[in-house]
């Protein structure tokens, strides 16, 4: 769950309230949302009616449900929605008094697993009956009393449910919608596509701002001086420049594809976890034994150029978000962090990473260690103590992991690796590094296997020999938020 701190309400995006955005999301799939007790015209163009209470937002896949409706042809399909988004903690978005993002803050607490319910029907008369009910309980009773058991059925599906009467729930809903809705222009005329995953108001001047990931930018936003916006994120309409909402014309809607599924990390058995851990320990011990004679030489070279310390332990996150010092031989000057602030405008990669060619912070010895990857030898110690694995997602700090919550939770379901898919198969094309990083990490956690680990290790060895590995079936084929 994501709590939005210091944000005024109500918000709109492209002149639409969150309730209207929810309804247009479903309209893009041929489904009209019908709320109990709310009057409104029902469209003759809608293929299905989604019956829900006035305080709920819901997101789920239609595929299995449409198949059931097509085969069994019930008058109403009751949907038990298992809410999969709760992770035993909630997240707060910290913003300043000008509604500007500062950081994410994770707060752990007890899990809040919920079971929501909605209904789907192709029948206009049933939708009208639902509208006339005075309470949700009365509406459900009328459906069961009026429709015989042989003309109704029930299915359970996974999805997300939100309470639209709570600000933090609305914020979480919008963030998920930004991540998974590929074509908001199907039902929102003001939405203008900008790049692969960014959508802005049609009258907005972006002033050259770069968008990374899924981003929605509302009307009247001033982006002058904003170098980049990293998604999933939404910048609401400026209240003083909020446009009038344009009418939804059902007859002109081009229905979009069925909602993509969530990220599903592979569940390993106890035996699989034990064998992977055993392999990590054996490999790390062997690697340390073989490379130990290099340590005195490397330590002496570091000392002669820039003195102590010999090692640098950057704080990274391991499985479950636990922090650990990721060990490396020190390759930068002792005042590297101070210099980094002065070089921030020269960053050459997208996303939260920092990289510039010929980085002046790097020592001459450090440059050699990096080119030969010898600086990472101490990470085998991290493997021995259980912080890391030989193969896994790239280890990254808390600050970087906050940029894409669904990706972060998937990649933190396993230990980070000394090598991995991204390290071996990345294209290094300008502007694609962050996206590829996300997509390769998701591919790894969803398809994790011994065969994949061995291929990655072989690919890593090939890289040291100057052989560029072929991607096989591991090349990213879809944006991370759609995986």
């Amino acid at each position: 769950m994501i709590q939005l701190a210091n944000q005024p309400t109500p918000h709109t995006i492209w002149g639409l309230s969150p309730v209207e955005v929810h309804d247009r999301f479903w309209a893009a799939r041929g489904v009209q949302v019908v709320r109990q007790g709310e009057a409104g015209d029902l469209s003759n163009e809608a293929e299905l009616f989604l019956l829900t209470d006035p305080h709920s937002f819901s997101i789920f896949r239609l595929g299995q449900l449409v198949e059931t409706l097509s085969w069994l042809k019930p008058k109403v399909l009751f949907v038990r929605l298992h809410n999969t988004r709760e992770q035993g903690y909630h997240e707060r978005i910290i913003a300043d008094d000008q509604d500007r993002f500062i950081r994410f803050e994770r707060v752990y607490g007890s899990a809040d697993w919920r079971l929501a319910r909605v209904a789907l029907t192709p029948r206009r008369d049933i939708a009208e009956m639902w509208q006339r009910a005075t309470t949700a309980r009365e509406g459900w009773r009328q459906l069961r009393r009026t429709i015989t058991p042989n003309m109704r059925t029930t299915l359970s599906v996974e999805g997300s449910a939100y309470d639209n009467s709570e600000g933090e729930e609305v914020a979480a809903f919008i963030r998920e919608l930004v991540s998974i809705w590929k074509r908001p222009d199907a039902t929102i005329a003001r939405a203008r596509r900008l790049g692969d995953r960014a959508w802005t108001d049609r009258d907005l001047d972006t002033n050259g701002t770069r968008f990374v990931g899924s981003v929605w930018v509302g009307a009247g936003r001033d982006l002058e001086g904003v170098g980049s916006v990293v998604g999933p994120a939404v910048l609401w309409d400026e209240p003083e420049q909020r446009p009038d909402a344009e009418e939804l014309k059902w007859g002109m809607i081009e229905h979009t594809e069925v909602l993509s599924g969530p990220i599903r990390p592979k569940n390993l058995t106890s035996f699989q976890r034990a064998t992977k851990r055993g392999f990590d320990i054996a490999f790390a011990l062997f690697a340390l034994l073989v490379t130990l004679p290099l340590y005195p030489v490397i330590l002496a070279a570091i000392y002669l150029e820039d003195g102590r310390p010999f090692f640098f332990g950057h704080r990274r996150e391991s499985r479950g978000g636990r922090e650990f010092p990721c060990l490396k031989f020190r390759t930068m000057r002792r005042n590297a962090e101070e210099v980094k602030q002065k070089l921030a405008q020269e960053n050459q990669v997208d996303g939260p990473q920092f990289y510039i060619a010929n980085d002046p912070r790097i020592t001459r010895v450090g440059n050699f260690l990096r080119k030969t990857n010898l600086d990472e030898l101490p990470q085998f110690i991290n493997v021995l103590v259980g912080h890391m694995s030989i193969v896994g997602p790239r280890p990254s700090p808390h600050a970087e992991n906050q940029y894409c919550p669904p990706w972060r939770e998937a990649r933190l379901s396993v230990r980070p690796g000394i090598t991995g898919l991204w390290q071996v198969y990345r294209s290094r094309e300008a502007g694609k590094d962050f996206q590829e990083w996300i997509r390769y990490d998701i591919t790894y956690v969803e398809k994790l296997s011994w065969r994949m680990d061995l291929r990655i290790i072989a690919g890593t060895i090939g890289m040291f020999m100057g052989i560029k590995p072929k991607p096989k079936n591991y090349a990213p084929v879809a944006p991370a938020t759609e995986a």
Side-chain angles (χ1 to χ4, degrees), residues 24-74:
R24 298 209 181 196
F25 166 76
W26 282 110
R29 286 147 180 80
V31 180
Q32 182 173 8
V33 179
V34 182
R35 294 180 177 82
Q36 156 271 320
E38 288 188 2
D41 296 332
L42 300 183
S43 172
N44 293 322
E45 303 290 339
E47 299 173 13
L48 290 171
F49 299 101
L50 175 63
L51 312 184
T52 185
D53 67 83
H55 303 295
S56 296
F57 290 152
S58 56
I59 300 175
F60 52 89
R61 298 185 67 181
L62 280 174
Q64 180 186 3
L65 303 174
V66 171
E67 184 177 352
T68 300
L69 287 166
S70 300
W71 280 97
L72 300 182
K73 300 187 182 302

Side-chain angles (χ1 to χ4, degrees), residues 35-37 51-54 76 78 117 119 126-147:
R35 294 180 177 82
Q36 156 271 320
L51 312 184
T52 185
D53 67 83
V76 65
F78 294 108
R117 59 177 178 175
I126 294 175
E128 290 174 341
M129 180 177 65
W130 176 261
Q131 275 186 313
R132 292 192 297 269
T134 56
T135 65
R137 177 173 296 183
E138 179 189 345
W140 294 117
R141 286 178 177 173
Q142 285 184 355
L143 291 178
R144 289 187 169 86
R145 186 169 57 246
T146 305
I147 303 170

Side-chain angles (χ1 to χ4, degrees), residues 58 74 109 122 125 159 187 217 281 289 301 304 366 416 464:
S58 56
D125 58 332
T187 50
V217 185
I281 293 173
L289 181 64
L304 289 174
F464 282 108

Side-chain angles (χ1 to χ4, degrees), residues 53-291:
D53 67 83
H55 303 295
S56 296
F57 290 152
S58 56
I59 300 175
F60 52 89
R61 298 185 67 181
L62 280 174
Q64 180 186 3
L65 303 174
V66 171
E67 184 177 352
T68 300
L69 287 166
S70 300
W71 280 97
L72 300 182
K73 300 187 182 302
K75 290 184 178 179
V76 65
L77 171 60
F78 294 108
V79 181
R80 292 174 177 168
L81 183 59
H82 291 273
N83 197 354
T84 60
R85 67 186 179 89
E86 300 292 344
Q87 301 292 330
Y89 59 85
H90 67 271
E91 300 217 340
R92 302 177 63 222
I93 298 177
I94 306 300
D96 62 19
D97 54 2
Q98 271 79 47
D99 193 22
R100 293 175 298 195
F101 173 83
I102 298 177
R103 68 181 185 276
F104 288 107
E105 181 178 275
R106 184 188 301 174
V107 181
Y108 286 89
S110 59
D112 180 22
W113 302 94
R114 296 187 298 172
L115 181 67
R117 59 177 178 175
V118 295
L120 288 169
T121 180
R123 298 282 298 265
R124 183 186 179 94
D125 58 332
I126 294 175
E128 290 174 341
M129 180 177 65
W130 176 261
Q131 275 186 313
R132 292 192 297 269
T134 56
T135 65
R137 177 173 296 183
E138 179 189 345
W140 294 117
R141 286 178 177 173
Q142 285 184 355
L143 291 178
R144 289 187 169 86
R145 186 169 57 246
T146 305
I147 303 170
T148 58
N150 65 318
M151 294 305 297
R152 65 179 190 248
T153 190
T154 302
L155 276 181
S156 296
V157 298
E158 293 183 348
S160 302
Y162 301 89
D163 185 345
N164 66 29
S165 64
E166 298 182 11
E168 64 270 17
E169 290 276 289
V170 173
F173 161 72
I174 290 293
R175 282 184 57 81
E176 179 174 359
L177 205 59
V178 168
S179 298
I180 54 87
W181 194 2
K182 298 178 184 178
R183 294 292 305 275
D185 60 332
T187 50
I188 303 177
R190 296 194 67 91
R192 179 189 63 172
R193 189 175 210 155
L194 194 66
D196 292 334
R197 299 288 292 164
W199 294 87
T200 69
D201 184 76
R202 66 189 181 196
D203 297 331
L204 184 73
D205 182 359
T206 60
N207 289 308
T209 300
R210 180 176 58 177
F211 300 99
V212 180
S214 305
V215 179
W216 288 3
V217 185
R221 300 296 303 207
D222 183 6
L223 298 179
E224 185 175 356
V226 178
S228 62
V229 179
V230 179
V234 57
L235 304 180
W236 304 95
D237 296 335
E238 281 290 343
E240 297 79 9
Q241 301 184 46
R242 181 178 300 169
D244 294 330
E246 299 185 356
E247 181 183 358
L248 175 62
K249 299 179 180 179
W250 275 89
M252 300 181 66
I253 295 175
E254 180 180 349
H255 297 161
T256 58
E257 66 290 326
V258 173
L259 176 62
S260 300
I263 302 169
R264 300 182 185 279
K266 185 174 182 179
N267 293 320
L268 299 181
T269 65
S270 298
F271 177 76
Q272 289 172 322
R273 288 195 295 270
T275 54
K276 182 173 174 63
R277 179 64 184 142
F279 173 80
D280 287 342
I281 293 173
F283 195 105
L285 286 172
F286 174 77
L288 285 170
L289 181 64
V290 170
T291 60

Side-chain angles (χ1 to χ4, degrees), residues 343-455:
L343 299 174
Q345 297 300 321
E346 300 180 34
N347 190 14
Q348 296 175 356
V349 295
D350 57 342
Q353 302 161 277
F354 180 86
Y355 170 80
I356 59 175
N358 303 315
D359 193 330
R361 301 174 300 161
I362 301 175
T363 63
R364 287 174 296 175
V365 172
N367 189 51
F368 173 78
L369 294 177
R370 289 190 171 205
K371 285 183 177 180
T372 58
N373 291 107
L374 292 175
D375 63 315
E376 297 186 358
L377 289 180
Q379 289 179 18
F380 288 111
I381 300 173
N382 288 121
V383 174
L384 281 181
V385 299
H387 297 148
M388 297 178 63
S389 181
I390 298 299
V391 180
R394 171 186 175 272
S396 53
H398 176 81
E400 291 182 7
N401 285 334
Q402 303 310 300
Y403 277 82
C404 184
W407 159 66
R408 177 197 61 228
E409 299 312 319
R411 70 193 309 273
L412 293 184
S413 66
V414 297
R415 290 185 179 92
I418 292 178
T419 187
L421 280 176
W422 178 78
Q423 292 93 319
V424 174
Y425 296 123
R426 58 195 285 204
S427 69
R428 297 183 183 273
E429 294 181 29
K432 290 187 177 181
D433 223 35
F434 184 50
Q435 292 92 330
E436 288 186 348
W437 175 19
I438 292 177
R439 289 150 66 179
Y440 274 126
D441 281 356
I442 290 174
T443 298
Y444 182 79
V445 299
E446 290 189 329
K447 298 183 179 181
L448 173 61
S449 69
W450 268 108
R451 179 176 296 180
M452 177 181 283
D453 279 7
L454 292 176
R455 284 190 185 277

